[in-house]
Amino acid sequence: MKKITHNPGSIVFSLFLAALMLAPGFTNKLTALPPEDLPKPSTLQVDWQKLETIAFIHFSVNTFTDSEWGYGNESPELFDPTQLDCRQWVKICKDAGLKGVILTAKHHDGFCLWPSKYTGHSVKNSPWKHGEGDVVREFSDACKELGLKIGLYLSPWDCNHAEYGKPGYNEYFKSQLRELLTNYGEIFEIWFDGANGGRGYYGTDSLHVRKIPGDYYDWDGIGKIVKELQPNCIIHGGALAEIRWVGNEEGYAGETHWSMFRPWDQLDKNISSRIQMNTGHEDGSFWLPSETDVSVRPGWYYHASEDHQVKSLPQLMDIYYESVGRNSLLLLNLSPDKRGLIHPLDSARVLAWREELDRDFEKNLVNDSCRFSSGNGTHARDAFDSNFDSYWQASGNFGQLEVDFGKEQEINRLLLQEFIPEGQKVRSFAADYWNGSGWKEFQKGTTIGYKRILRFQAVKATKMRIRIEDALAPPMISTVEVYHAPILPVPPGITREQHGLVRIISPDKDADVYYTTDGSVPSQTAKKYAGPFMMDGKVTIKAVMISSSGAQGEMAEKQFVFSKADWRVGGETVEITKLLDGNQATSWFGGGDQKEVVIDFGKPLSFSGISMLPDQSRHPKGIPLNYAVLISNDGKTWEKVVSGEFQNIMNNPNWRKIMFFQPVNSRFLKFEATSLVNGQKQLGLAELELTD
């Protein structure tokens, strides 16, 4: 069966209805739709998901203040990149295989990267190009030249505007939206962030909170402007959203991942809305596919202190497989530095990522010499022709597809696609291979959707079959591809327990680990890791994995400064506390409503700051939002060293470094959370380190 086009005529109304249901105050309850009337995407939504990987660019006055969320009181004179080159950004994105780029034209601080005629808080009052520059113009011109789609981020929250929270701000926001949608060419995606209200600077000398009602923004009017000026622009955020946030900023969609979603007033009250965004709803009444946004660095804006924290190649590979490979679209962020250039560490990493992806999917082992069959349904070959617009359809809600390779093949990747213009249907499936004497199951999965990619230990097979075990309606499989991806030696993990026992963890059984403790770069002539060893005190350990074929992975490096052997956590009597065990997968939690932790070093130590890692579970608890760090030499009289706020930590629960104004000398340390994310009562920390 061939399918080249689909009729979106009835989708327009369904999207309008979805927008109505998303709007505040809508409470009408809908009954589940019969299978033949499952939600279906618009042509715009299908075309958007086919992009698969796109880029985010965060660059603004925050880049120059070394912050993530500005307060709005920053002077435009701070914005002065010396070598700004938007073409460099876009060229890197294109070479990395990213199909479009979204620029943060205005973030929460309200600073505009274009010379908006509605505010002075913009590039027109900066020293860059003597106030005559327009970053959005240079960015859009670069995208047009290099053939990438243009996207823009416009924050509804504006910490600078005096009218924010009042009716007049809505008109200001819509005026700026018109500027962006009429002056820079065709826009493929507009990004409205969900953050709003909160602290900000509103023409006064103090920072304070300004709250807004839930229906403050005129989303109907905003949506009409978008569709009037840019009918082919997809909307992220707001009450008229056509795509949804994936529920985290860590780069993964749920293993079960539906593109259907319920109206917001019908979400399960016993499950976090973030979790539901991460999985979607099998019984969702409208089509709302997800976008997985994640940064190449821990933060969204450039910080020199994060140069050593650019995500590793294996991390980026995991992100791809857990976003695009789980029926989502990947939005990967790059952060130009104060020069206005993407740092070479970042560009090298994303280009290596694209090269590795190309190697993984270089040769589809399904070809014309294979034989195809199905247990039921027709046109089995149409599932194996790598043509999205042709598909095999089962005769019922289950069925199977089989490919005979004609010879033994070693396989470790399986790529599946449903023909989503007719909806998402598969609830569960399994894959078997023929081992010469019988079928053996090697993979199971739940949803497929636009694309599902499975990674697994390599198996040798002459035949393979896909079994659709359950579906909402007769499934339509448009693509089945099989690959043997090369092994990627990953950096080993280096941990040290509280009493100095060092472990080097290798996730690849086909590789040996070599390490050094003298600062030299390890190779096969270095010491081979055979098991845990003691190495307390100050030391730098470097390690590398080398496979049996000679392939060498990225080097891991870990610097340990202080011995923790005599450290004790207040209130604990355990030999090794989870707060100091070097294991990021374990967390310490305060008792009852405890929001602070006290560490006794056993003797006075000199240090210049601390690093804190929140609970790292998939659904973390006890994340500190506002904090204070105090010191004492007797454990009774305390002196506050520093206090502050962890910006955007709810969405980005990574290592956070707190540097003091000057070094301190103290025996006791108190870390206090003056508030926790989502109003929780109990502090949770995975690790706490000192900085010398």
Side-chain angles (χ1 to χ4, degrees):
M1 178 181 291
K2 294 286 183 180
K3 188 74 174 180
I4 305 300
T5 60
H6 61 285
N7 180 11
S10 63
I11 304 302
V12 175
F13 176 74
S14 66
L15 284 174
F16 172 79
L17 182 61
L20 177 63
M21 292 185 292
L22 283 164
F26 185 90
T27 58
N28 185 37
K29 302 295 182 183
L30 299 180
T31 57
L33 297 174
E36 61 270 20
D37 292 330
L38 287 172
K40 299 177 179 63
S42 66
T43 301
L44 182 63
Q45 289 171 316
V46 173
D47 290 344
W48 172 83
Q49 187 136 27
K50 285 182 178 179
L51 296 174
E52 297 195 359
T53 56
I54 60 176
F56 229 166
I57 297 287
H58 276 68
F59 181 67
S60 186
V61 71
N62 291 343
T63 308
F64 299 87
T65 60
D66 201 28
S67 64
E68 284 289 293
W69 285 8
Y71 288 94
N73 60 349
E74 299 83 7
S75 169
E77 293 185 2
L78 293 171
F79 185 84
D80 192 17
T82 56
Q83 302 177 52
L84 188 139
D85 186 353
C86 293
R87 193 181 187 282
Q88 184 237 18
W89 310 350
V90 178
K91 179 68 163 56
I92 290 169
C93 293
K94 181 174 183 176
D95 290 346
L98 303 166
K99 301 299 191 298
V101 192
I102 300 174
L103 173 67
T104 51
K106 183 187 81 169
H107 204 250
H108 310 324
D109 51 81
F111 184 79
C112 300
L113 291 184
W114 77 101
S116 174
K117 66 181 181 181
Y118 299 100
T119 180
H121 199 52
S122 81
V123 291
K124 69 184 180 184
N125 285 319
S126 76
W128 177 63
K129 292 194 171 182
H130 307 290
E132 298 298 320
D134 184 342
V135 179
V136 179
R137 170 70 60 205
E138 295 190 17
F139 162 75
S140 60
D141 286 348
C143 288
K144 292 171 189 174
E145 177 191 347
L146 295 171
L148 269 66
K149 293 181 177 295
I150 304 166
L152 295 172
Y153 169 117
L154 183 65
S155 172
W157 181 17
D158 192 317
C159 293
N160 175 266
H161 201 277
E163 291 295 303
Y164 182 78
K166 301 176 183 178
Y169 175 77
N170 264 299
E171 295 310 309
Y172 167 78
F173 182 75
K174 287 189 282 188
S175 295
Q176 288 196 321
L177 180 62
R178 288 189 184 94
E179 283 184 317
L180 291 175
L181 297 183
T182 55
N183 294 328
Y184 299 100
E186 185 170 356
I187 308 300
F188 86 99
E189 182 173 341
I190 187 76
W191 228 87
F192 300 129
D193 198 298
N196 59 70
R199 85 281 189 280
Y201 180 86
Y202 303 98
T204 70
D205 293 327
S206 62
L207 303 176
H208 60 279
V209 172
R210 178 163 298 188
K211 296 182 179 179
I212 62 171
D215 59 353
Y216 169 66
Y217 297 112
D218 178 18
W219 287 120
D220 284 341
I222 291 168
K224 288 177 182 177
I225 291 172
V226 174
K227 292 306 178 183
E228 172 193 341
L229 300 177
Q230 297 279 351
N232 295 320
C233 178
I234 203 161
I235 300 174
H236 176 285
L240 298 181
E242 294 162 291
I243 55 180
R244 74 179 192 265
W245 182 46
V246 80
N248 63 72
E249 294 178 355
E250 298 170 52
Y252 70 90
E255 288 193 51
T256 296
H257 200 74
W258 295 97
S259 293
M260 292 96 79
F261 210 71
R262 298 175 189 166
W264 290 103
D265 67 313
Q266 294 182 29
L267 299 192
D268 191 326
K269 293 180 173 55
N270 297 315
I271 301 175
S272 163
S273 60
R274 287 169 174 258
I275 295 175
Q276 294 181 71
M277 286 188 282
N278 195 243
T279 61
H281 298 113
E282 175 185 321
D283 61 351
S285 54
F286 60 97
W287 193 269
L288 198 69
S290 76
E291 184 173 62
T292 299
D293 58 324
V294 63
S295 184
V296 169
R297 291 168 170 259
W300 293 96
Y301 286 94
Y302 176 81
H303 310 289
S305 62
E306 294 179 352
D307 282 352
H308 68 294
Q309 292 180 283
V310 176
K311 285 183 171 59
S312 68
L313 179 55
Q315 285 177 304
L316 290 179
M317 294 297 287
D318 285 345
I319 285 169
Y320 175 84
Y321 280 107
E322 294 180 6
S323 58
V324 176
R326 290 182 178 174
N327 187 37
S328 189
L329 179 140
L330 173 58
L331 175 58
L332 187 65
N333 182 70
L334 293 167
S335 315
D337 59 24
K338 291 181 180 181
R339 299 171 301 167
L341 299 174
I342 292 173
H343 195 283
L345 287 172
D346 304 53
S347 59
R349 192 58 48 80
V350 296
L351 294 177
W353 168 70
R354 173 49 55 186
E355 290 175 2
E356 194 63 34
L357 282 174
D358 289 344
R359 280 193 287 269
D360 276 14
F361 301 102
E362 183 176 6
K363 183 181 179 182
N364 181 11
L365 299 176
V366 176
N367 53 50
D368 290 339
S369 65
C370 298
R371 295 191 299 272
F372 312 104
S373 60
S374 65
N376 62 343
T378 57
H379 303 280
R381 180 178 288 271
D382 288 344
F384 296 94
D385 63 1
S386 296
N387 178 2
F388 179 77
D389 291 316
S390 65
Y391 56 84
W392 162 83
Q393 181 173 11
S395 57
N397 287 14
F398 58 90
Q400 68 180 43
L401 284 163
E402 183 178 320
V403 54
D404 185 338
F405 300 113
K407 60 180 180 179
E408 186 175 79
Q409 298 279 16
E410 190 169 17
I411 62 176
N412 60 9
R413 299 287 188 275
L414 173 62
L415 185 153
L416 303 171
Q417 289 186 280
E418 287 187 75
F419 186 68
I420 60 167
E422 293 299 326
Q424 183 182 358
K425 303 169 184 178
V426 176
R427 299 177 68 188
S428 64
F429 67 93
D432 312 315
Y433 73 97
W434 183 263
N435 62 9
S437 58
W439 290 104
K440 184 174 182 180
E441 183 178 286
F442 67 97
Q443 283 289 286
K444 290 184 75 69
T446 52
T447 50
I448 296 177
Y450 168 73
K451 183 169 283 189
R452 183 67 182 269
I453 310 174
L454 301 175
R455 294 179 290 177
F456 47 90
Q457 194 79 24
V459 297
K460 293 180 179 180
T462 56
K463 295 187 291 185
M464 186 196 72
R465 70 182 182 190
I466 309 298
R467 288 181 284 114
I468 307 299
E469 297 183 322
D470 193 13
L472 301 176
M476 296 168 153
I477 305 300
S478 69
T479 307
V480 178
E481 296 178 351
V482 181
Y483 298 88
H484 181 243
I487 294 174
L488 174 63
V490 300
I494 305 173
T495 65
R496 186 168 78 175
E497 289 186 354
Q498 184 177 350
H499 296 288
L501 186 67
V502 175
R503 286 186 171 86
I504 305 180
I505 303 165
S506 167
D508 190 346
K509 296 179 181 178
D510 186 42
D512 294 318
V513 174
Y514 297 87
Y515 71 96
T516 63
T517 58
D518 61 0
S520 62
V521 176
S523 65
Q524 283 181 302
T525 61
K527 196 166 187 176
K528 185 177 178 179
Y529 179 73
F533 59 91
M534 291 297 297
M535 185 66 68
D536 204 10
K538 187 171 184 176
V539 64
T540 297
I541 299 174
K542 298 180 180 180
V544 67
M545 288 173 49
I546 303 177
S547 70
S548 57
S549 64
Q552 181 170 315
E554 295 182 53
M555 185 184 72
E557 180 177 344
K558 182 73 174 180
Q559 183 180 45
F560 300 100
V561 179
F562 298 94
S563 168
K564 300 179 182 178
D566 297 326
W567 293 15
R568 295 292 179 267
V569 174
E572 287 195 358
T573 58
V574 294
E575 178 71 10
I576 297 178
T577 175
K578 291 181 178 179
L579 184 58
L580 309 174
D581 64 0
N583 184 355
Q584 298 184 12
T586 64
S587 293
W588 169 93
F589 292 99
D593 292 344
Q594 184 178 345
K595 295 187 181 67
E596 63 183 41
V597 60
V598 174
I599 300 177
D600 179 358
F601 304 131
K603 61 181 180 182
L605 296 176
S606 294
F607 53 102
S608 300
I610 69 170
S611 293
M612 179 279 304
L613 182 68
D615 175 30
Q616 292 296 290
S617 61
R618 274 281 164 104
H619 310 299
K621 297 180 295 183
I623 297 178
L625 180 58
N626 296 91
Y627 65 86
V629 179
L630 302 93
I631 57 173
S632 172
N633 277 312
D634 59 10
K636 298 177 182 178
T637 304
W638 294 93
E639 174 189 353
K640 182 186 290 187
V641 181
V642 67
S643 62
E645 174 190 349
F646 293 124
Q647 297 177 352
N648 200 30
I649 194 170
M650 178 171 65
N651 299 321
N652 240 330
N654 298 307
W655 278 101
R656 298 301 174 104
K657 181 178 286 188
I658 305 169
M659 297 304 296
F660 305 154
F661 295 109
Q662 59 186 13
V664 300
N665 187 276
S666 177
R667 172 175 170 173
F668 294 89
L669 171 79
K670 180 188 291 186
F671 177 82
E672 180 181 53
T674 52
S675 67
L676 299 173
V677 167
N678 293 328
Q680 294 184 1
K681 305 296 184 183
Q682 182 187 59
L683 175 64
L685 299 176
E687 293 293 316
L688 194 145
E689 304 274 1
L690 299 185
T691 301
D692 65 353

